[in-house]
Amino acid sequence: MTDSIKILPVQPCGAVGKCMSHPSSYASSLSSYSKPTTARIASYAMTQLETARAKDVATHEANEPAIAANLEVAKRVRVLMEEIGMPASYTERDTKSRSRYPKTIRHDAGYLQDLRRECKTDDGFTYATSTYERLKKEYQDYADKAAREAEIEAGRAQREQEEALAKRKADMALAAILLRYELPLESTWEDVLEHLRTKDQRLDLAIAMRDTRGDWSEGAYRVKNALQRFTIHTNEDKDIAADVAAHLVDFEDGRVFRDCEWNYDRLLGTVVNRQLVADAEIARKSLEDE
């Protein structure tokens, strides 16, 4: 006796098919007082996709016994129909055709149409899988883009924080120097450096030499001017003035003030007031950073 079988219901795997075609469409699903970041949208979208995929996988696994049973039903029906000589298709004249020789239309036999309609042997899992793989690639590309944007934003925020901290430190340093030398509160770093140079002629000359070492496109006018302000008090002052002045003759290259006997580093080393030198260095650097 033939085993008794019957058609079983099969649930479609349609969860992934309900996912948004592009992850950015999930932005409206995220309730927030501020606009959600791309990274947050990407994470939420991927979670929705993976959740849908898990549902489809679970649905397909639950469908497997029913699909197997329905395949057996379909097979037995076809075998039976073949045994009794029932044709699998039929043709009829196309009544809508106005041709002299009307075409015929082929139709599947009714039992085959019934099987497709009532005896489900495909739950759409293959199509759901291809949709999932396509969406996952698109979602992952979006997530990668979000990660890059987040990295750029983090770098920008870090730079802003560092710049703000540097400015705060510079402001504090400026305030301290203004108080130390009793300078007007509206003084700029340029004002500060100009004032500090008046405190020591060796500091003044060294700065002129260093500045010329950095840029001698307009000649050594800075050093010439500083030498004009330089007053001889000691034999060492005389040696300094003579050495520096000698390098102004046929001047061509600011590097001579780095390499001469009384170069700017040696000059700065002879300034007794080390606080003055330190403050001048701070002022010069702050001017360069502006």
Side-chain angles (χ1 to χ4, degrees), residues 111-177:
Y111 74 88
L112 291 177
Q113 298 179 34
D114 292 340
L115 284 175
R116 283 196 295 270
R117 184 179 64 254
E118 304 296 340
C119 185
K120 301 296 183 182
T121 57
D122 182 6
D123 58 4
F125 185 68
T126 299
Y127 179 74
T129 298
S130 66
T131 301
Y132 164 74
E133 291 173 349
R134 174 177 59 80
L135 289 179
K136 185 170 184 178
K137 182 181 182 305
E138 188 165 350
Y139 281 28
Q140 188 58 55
D141 289 344
Y142 186 80
D144 293 342
K145 176 185 175 183
R148 291 192 296 271
E149 289 181 356
E151 184 176 354
I152 292 173
E153 175 60 24
R156 184 191 63 78
Q158 178 66 23
R159 286 192 299 274
E160 288 183 353
Q161 183 178 6
E162 290 174 354
E163 289 171 1
L165 180 59
K167 184 180 184 303
R168 189 177 302 116
K169 288 181 178 180
D171 290 343
M172 292 175 65
L174 177 59
I177 291 175

Side-chain angles (χ1 to χ4, degrees), residues 173-174 177 188-194 196 207 276-290:
L174 177 59
I177 291 175
T188 64
W189 280 117
E190 186 174 0
D191 298 330
V192 168
L193 186 59
E194 183 178 349
L196 296 181
I207 290 175
L276 181 65
V277 174
D279 291 340
E281 288 297 317
I282 292 172
R284 288 188 74 256
K285 184 177 185 309
S286 298
L287 276 173
E288 292 175 356
D289 294 341
E290 287 183 349

Side-chain angles (χ1 to χ4, degrees), residues 2-270:
T2 303
D3 294 337
S4 175
I5 59 172
K6 65 178 181 178
I7 296 173
L8 297 177
V10 173
Q11 299 300 320
C13 298
V16 167
K18 296 177 182 178
C19 290
M20 299 293 187
S21 59
H22 194 274
S24 61
S25 300
Y26 283 104
S28 59
S29 301
L30 296 171
S31 59
S32 175
Y33 292 106
S34 59
K35 182 180 178 181
T37 63
T38 305
R40 185 183 174 202
I41 296 171
S43 176
Y44 181 80
M46 190 64 76
T47 298
Q48 297 306 304
L49 179 62
E50 293 300 337
T51 299
R53 174 61 176 175
K55 289 181 180 178
D56 280 346
V57 170
T59 298
H60 180 63
E61 291 175 350
N63 283 335
E64 286 179 344
I67 290 174
N70 290 351
L71 285 170
E72 182 63 23
V73 169
K75 178 181 177 181
R76 291 193 185 187
V77 170
R78 289 189 178 92
V79 170
L80 175 61
M81 291 302 183
E82 289 176 5
E83 288 178 352
I84 66 176
M86 182 68 71
S89 64
Y90 67 94
T91 59
E92 64 177 359
R93 181 177 177 178
D94 184 0
T95 58
K96 296 180 180 180
S97 175
R98 296 182 179 182
S99 174
R100 182 176 180 182
Y101 302 101
K103 296 180 180 180
T104 57
I105 303 174
R106 180 187 177 280
H107 299 284
D108 285 337
Y111 74 88
L112 291 177
Q113 298 179 34
D114 292 340
L115 284 175
R116 283 196 295 270
R117 184 179 64 254
E118 304 296 340
C119 185
K120 301 296 183 182
T121 57
D122 182 6
D123 58 4
F125 185 68
T126 299
Y127 179 74
T129 298
S130 66
T131 301
Y132 164 74
E133 291 173 349
R134 174 177 59 80
L135 289 179
K136 185 170 184 178
K137 182 181 182 305
E138 188 165 350
Y139 281 28
Q140 188 58 55
D141 289 344
Y142 186 80
D144 293 342
K145 176 185 175 183
R148 291 192 296 271
E149 289 181 356
E151 184 176 354
I152 292 173
E153 175 60 24
R156 184 191 63 78
Q158 178 66 23
R159 286 192 299 274
E160 288 183 353
Q161 183 178 6
E162 290 174 354
E163 289 171 1
L165 180 59
K167 184 180 184 303
R168 189 177 302 116
K169 288 181 178 180
D171 290 343
M172 292 175 65
L174 177 59
I177 291 175
L178 295 183
L179 289 173
R180 185 176 298 126
Y181 298 96
E182 299 181 347
L183 293 171
L185 293 178
E186 64 273 13
S187 299
T188 64
W189 280 117
E190 186 174 0
D191 298 330
V192 168
L193 186 59
E194 183 178 349
H195 177 77
L196 296 181
R197 291 176 69 167
T198 65
K199 294 290 186 180
D200 191 292
Q201 63 178 6
R202 294 191 181 189
L203 173 68
D204 179 37
L205 181 57
I207 290 175
M209 293 167 67
R210 180 179 285 177
D211 288 346
T212 303
R213 161 67 183 88
D215 177 14
W216 64 86
S217 59
E218 296 183 14
Y221 71 92
R222 302 180 187 85
V223 178
K224 291 179 182 178
N225 292 340
L227 274 179
Q228 290 176 359
R229 296 190 293 268
F230 196 85
T231 302
I232 306 299
H233 297 293
T234 66
N235 288 333
E236 190 173 66
D237 288 340
K238 183 178 179 180
D239 292 340
I240 292 171
D243 181 51
V244 174
H247 291 88
L248 293 176
V249 179
D250 298 325
F251 172 81
E252 292 183 355
D253 191 330
R255 287 172 292 189
V256 296
F257 300 122
R258 176 196 64 191
D259 303 327
C260 63
E261 181 180 358
W262 279 99
N263 58 66
Y264 46 76
D265 284 335
R266 184 181 178 187
L267 269 179
L268 288 175
T270 65

